[in-house]
């Protein structure tokens, strides 16, 4: 069962020093509109996972009811898979210690298969796989599915990703930060 609710993931940070200039505004507006939100970090594999996590933590205060933090990893930038995995693991462990909840990995089907694979199968997965019917084609369980990146929402000028949660309302509520 796929659960559709009013939720959004909002870009907060990137690398070790960049903060999205619209994060605070978007975060505040989502709350005002009653949208359940989570924040994500665009991961740069060439940088320390720990330093990136610390940067995210300085910028994002998550509260009870928010969605878990997300690591968005889509490119290697030439970093070998073993080092990429080490840095992703550092990032995720640091966030889990701070927020007391397992972070979500966001990536596409092919990147996950090539670079993350079984090493992260116990982590919640938000998978991007467009133009699919019914569900994404991935061999492991997934938590969120971004099925389109060309959606339109009233009040937002640019296109947005459309996502669904893989579960019912009870499972969705259990996914949120206690």
């Amino acid at each position: 069962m796929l659960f559709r609710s009013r939720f959004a993931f909002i870009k907060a940070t990137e690398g070790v020093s960049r903060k999205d200039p619209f994060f605070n505004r978007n975060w505040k507006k989502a709350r005002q509109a009653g949208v359940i939100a989570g924040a994500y970090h665009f991961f740069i594999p060439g940088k320390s996972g720990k330093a990136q996590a610390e940067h995210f933590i300085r910028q994002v205060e998550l509260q009870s009811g928010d969605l878990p933090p997300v690591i968005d990893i889509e490119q290697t930038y030439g970093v070998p898979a073993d080092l990429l995995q080490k840095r992703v693991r550092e990032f995720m462990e640091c966030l889990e210690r701070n927020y007391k909840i397992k972070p979500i990995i966001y990536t596409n089907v092919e990147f996950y298969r090539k670079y993350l694979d079984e090493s992260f199968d116990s982590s919640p997965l938000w998978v991007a796989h467009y133009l699919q019917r019914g569900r994404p084609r991935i061999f492991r369980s997934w938590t969120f599915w971004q099925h389109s990146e060309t959606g339109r929402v009233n009040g937002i000028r640019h296109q947005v990703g459309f996502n669904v949660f893989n579960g019912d309302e009870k499972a969705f509520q259990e996914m949120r930060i206690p």
Side-chain angles (χ1 to χ4, degrees), residues 73-76 107-116:
I73 175 104
E74 303 177 52
Q75 301 176 33
T76 67
T107 195
N108 63 67
V109 170
E110 186 63 18
F111 190 92
Y112 189 87
R113 187 191 63 74
K114 272 181 94 171
Y115 300 106
L116 301 176

Side-chain angles (χ1 to χ4, degrees), residues 85-135:
Q85 288 181 10
K86 177 181 181 269
R87 290 178 174 164
V88 167
R89 195 168 287 105
E90 287 172 352
F91 179 90
M92 294 183 64
E93 288 171 355
C94 194
L95 261 60
E96 188 169 357
R97 275 192 306 276
N98 184 76
Y99 295 113
K100 310 292 187 247
I101 195 163
K102 193 176 267 286
I104 298 167
I105 295 173
Y106 170 87
T107 195
N108 63 67
V109 170
E110 186 63 18
F111 190 92
Y112 189 87
R113 187 191 63 74
K114 272 181 94 171
Y115 300 106
L116 301 176
D117 206 9
E118 297 170 358
S119 299
F120 295 92
D121 280 357
S122 67
S123 298
L125 178 65
W126 173 21
V127 64
H129 201 196
Y130 309 129
L131 306 175
Q132 297 299 307
R133 295 189 79 120
R135 63 181 300 276

Side-chain angles (χ1 to χ4, degrees), residues 2-178:
L2 300 179
F3 178 66
R4 297 175 194 271
S5 180
R6 291 177 46 103
F7 66 87
F9 290 102
I10 301 168
K11 183 176 182 183
T13 54
E14 180 174 326
V16 296
S17 61
R18 186 172 188 285
K19 179 178 180 181
D20 187 290
F22 301 107
F23 174 71
N24 288 339
R25 181 199 69 189
N26 293 343
W27 192 253
K28 180 180 175 185
K29 296 255 183 207
R31 288 187 192 279
Q32 288 172 346
V35 174
I36 298 163
Y40 75 88
H41 174 83
F42 189 83
F43 192 80
I44 307 295
K47 305 288 183 185
S48 157
K50 183 174 186 255
Q52 291 186 72
E54 290 169 344
H55 171 54
F56 180 87
I57 290 165
R58 282 191 302 273
Q59 304 301 323
V60 179
E61 181 182 331
L62 296 175
Q63 301 173 0
S64 176
D66 291 336
L67 292 169
V70 176
I71 177 175
D72 176 345
I73 175 104
E74 303 177 52
Q75 301 176 33
T76 67
Y77 297 100
V79 172
D82 59 336
L83 181 56
L84 177 137
Q85 288 181 10
K86 177 181 181 269
R87 290 178 174 164
V88 167
R89 195 168 287 105
E90 287 172 352
F91 179 90
M92 294 183 64
E93 288 171 355
C94 194
L95 261 60
E96 188 169 357
R97 275 192 306 276
N98 184 76
Y99 295 113
K100 310 292 187 247
I101 195 163
K102 193 176 267 286
I104 298 167
I105 295 173
Y106 170 87
T107 195
N108 63 67
V109 170
E110 186 63 18
F111 190 92
Y112 189 87
R113 187 191 63 74
K114 272 181 94 171
Y115 300 106
L116 301 176
D117 206 9
E118 297 170 358
S119 299
F120 295 92
D121 280 357
S122 67
S123 298
L125 178 65
W126 173 21
V127 64
H129 201 196
Y130 309 129
L131 306 175
Q132 297 299 307
R133 295 189 79 120
R135 63 181 300 276
R137 277 189 255 147
I138 191 162
F139 57 89
R140 61 153 287 185
S141 65
W142 50 274
T143 307
F144 292 94
W145 170 30
Q146 186 173 75
H147 56 87
S148 171
E149 62 182 344
T150 58
R152 292 285 185 189
V153 175
N154 289 340
I156 300 176
R157 287 186 213 129
H158 55 71
Q159 294 179 327
V160 299
F162 278 177
N163 301 279
V164 292
F165 175 74
N166 188 17
D168 60 16
E169 185 172 1
K170 181 177 185 281
F172 182 79
Q173 297 307 326
E174 290 171 354
M175 164 64 60
R176 297 168 68 184
I177 295 173

